[in-house]
Amino acid sequence: MALTLEDRLDIRELLARYAHALDYHNLPAMRDIWTDDCRFQADEPEVNITGIEALIAFFKDTVAAVPNARHLIDNLYIEGAASEALCHAYLSIVDAETGALLGFGRYRDEVVRTASGWRIRSRVFTAG
């Protein structure tokens, strides 16, 4: 079965909730955004994390190092079926105080429908 319009809106909102939770340091909310067995990979800086607890610890260090970062997710498109999908998006990270661009790249997210709604199971960030 194909993704419905409601599924697509829910997935877009999931990514927006992620950005707001990270940028405003609401790290407990990550448990409602990611699966327990989630995986996060990045090429710059090199990151390879598995599991929600390790991911939250990584985010804690990240927000401590760059407390004014804001993640802007754009040009999102979604492909998939009713229970899992791939999301592709651009990411810009800016400093909220200076407006300086801190980073730019692409997200490739695997999202899954759970009993509690859509969750990110895997994210690959590619810089540039």
Side-chain angles (χ1 to χ4, degrees):
M1 181 161 47
L3 292 169
T4 66
L5 180 57
E6 183 176 347
D7 290 329
R8 292 175 182 280
L9 291 172
D10 288 347
I11 292 167
R12 286 177 176 273
E13 185 172 297
L14 176 68
L15 271 61
R17 286 190 296 119
Y18 157 78
H20 284 264
L22 183 59
D23 292 346
Y24 294 98
H25 312 174
N26 182 7
L27 301 182
M30 294 300 173
R31 287 182 175 80
D32 297 326
I33 295 168
W34 296 78
T35 63
D36 289 342
D37 62 345
C38 62
R39 185 156 185 200
F40 177 74
Q41 294 177 280
D43 64 349
E44 228 178 272
E46 189 173 337
V47 176
N48 191 354
I49 296 170
T50 300
I52 189 65
E53 297 306 323
L55 185 66
I56 289 172
F58 170 75
F59 288 153
K60 183 178 179 183
D61 292 343
T62 300
V63 299
V66 192
N68 297 312
R70 299 297 181 264
H71 293 71
L72 309 172
I73 301 170
D74 201 5
N75 291 352
L76 174 68
Y77 75 92
I78 304 164
E79 54 188 356
S83 61
E84 52 186 78
L86 290 176
C87 302
H88 308 269
Y90 292 145
L91 170 70
S92 300
I93 306 170
V94 298
D95 185 302
E97 286 189 358
T98 67
L101 182 64
L102 301 174
F104 180 81
R106 295 172 289 154
Y107 280 155
R108 182 182 180 273
D109 294 341
E110 294 178 18
V111 297
V112 293
R113 183 192 306 273
T114 71
S116 301
W118 287 96
R119 299 289 184 266
I120 302 170
R121 177 174 54 201
S122 174
R123 168 169 285 163
V124 176
F125 171 75
T126 305

